[in-house]
Every structure is written in C-alpha cells, then in structure tokens.
Amino acid sequence: GQTDVGASMWDSFQSSWDKLKEQGLIDEDERLGVSFPNYYRTKDEFLNVIENDEEVSSKLKLISYEERVVRCPYRELYTSGRTDKSPRQYAEDFVPTTKTWSHS
C-alpha cells in the first residue's frame, strides 16, 4: 500500500477516481461514495488475540514478533531488470493484483 518506494497505491486509487469525476464519467456523490478500505492492525491489536483469547492462546505459542515492510514483488522484479517483460506486459500482470485490495 504505502512504502518509501514508488507511488502510494492509495494515492493512485484516489487520483484515478478524482479523474473520473473531472472527466464527467461519475458525479460528485459517486466520487465521495467510494471507499478503499484497508486496515493494518497495530502490534497490540495483533498480540491481544494471542494473549487474551484462551482458545487461541492454548493452541499458539508466540516465539517472536517483528514488523517489516514487504516490497511489492512485481515492482521489484520489473525494476531490477531481471525480466524481459515490456511495460505493457508488466502492467497487464500487475494491475489485476491491485484488485485484491480494492475488491475485498
């Protein structure tokens, strides 16, 4: 969604939606009615289930916890030069992956 590399997926979604309004393809109510929901749990929210749910805590033992930024593997492959895909082929493969964010 949002890292220190490249464009923010969320900013790109919003910008694209705003352009649809500017082009007259949707009205203001439709523009304002869109939502791209996504929520990343905090460490405390994640650990709360493990620590405070007896059924879960009886089955799981937390060994460690860490947070990491996971780079987009599609972008990393394309920008590394380790692929012979054209920009069009890359886009055709990449764009459907964003549907996992906007269609869930």
Side-chain angles (χ1 to χ4, degrees), residues 2-14:
Q2 174 103 25
T3 65
D4 58 337
V5 177
S8 162
M9 177 173 65
W10 307 112
D11 290 344
S12 297
F13 285 165
Q14 187 64 55

Side-chain angles (χ1 to χ4, degrees), residues 33-49:
V34 71
S35 175
F36 300 108
N38 196 33
Y39 181 77
Y40 297 97
R41 292 184 183 138
T42 66
K43 178 181 179 180
D44 289 339
E45 290 170 329
F46 180 79
L47 295 178
N48 183 50
V49 175

Side-chain angles (χ1 to χ4, degrees), residues 9-103:
M9 177 173 65
W10 307 112
D11 290 344
S12 297
F13 285 165
Q14 187 64 55
S15 175
S16 296
W17 206 249
D18 291 345
K19 286 179 186 174
L20 291 173
K21 163 69 170 67
E22 291 168 13
Q23 295 167 352
L25 298 171
I26 62 172
D27 63 30
E28 182 66 4
D29 287 339
E30 290 170 310
R31 188 187 77 79
L32 293 174
V34 71
S35 175
F36 300 108
N38 196 33
Y39 181 77
Y40 297 97
R41 292 184 183 138
T42 66
K43 178 181 179 180
D44 289 339
E45 290 170 329
F46 180 79
L47 295 178
N48 183 50
V49 175
I50 295 170
E51 295 168 348
N52 297 314
D53 184 310
E54 288 185 35
E55 183 179 350
V56 173
S57 62
S58 70
K59 297 176 182 178
L60 295 176
K61 178 181 176 184
L62 180 66
I63 304 298
S64 67
Y65 175 94
E66 66 180 286
E67 294 179 41
R68 292 184 183 185
V69 172
V70 178
R71 303 277 180 225
C72 172
Y74 294 94
R75 183 183 191 283
E76 293 296 300
L77 178 64
Y78 184 71
T79 59
S80 73
R82 296 186 320 248
T83 180
D84 58 356
K85 289 184 179 185
S86 70
R88 180 174 184 85
Q89 290 170 316
Y90 168 74
E92 288 174 354
D93 289 345
F94 173 75
V95 170
T97 71
T98 65
K99 290 180 181 180
T100 62
W101 300 96
S102 63
H103 286 67

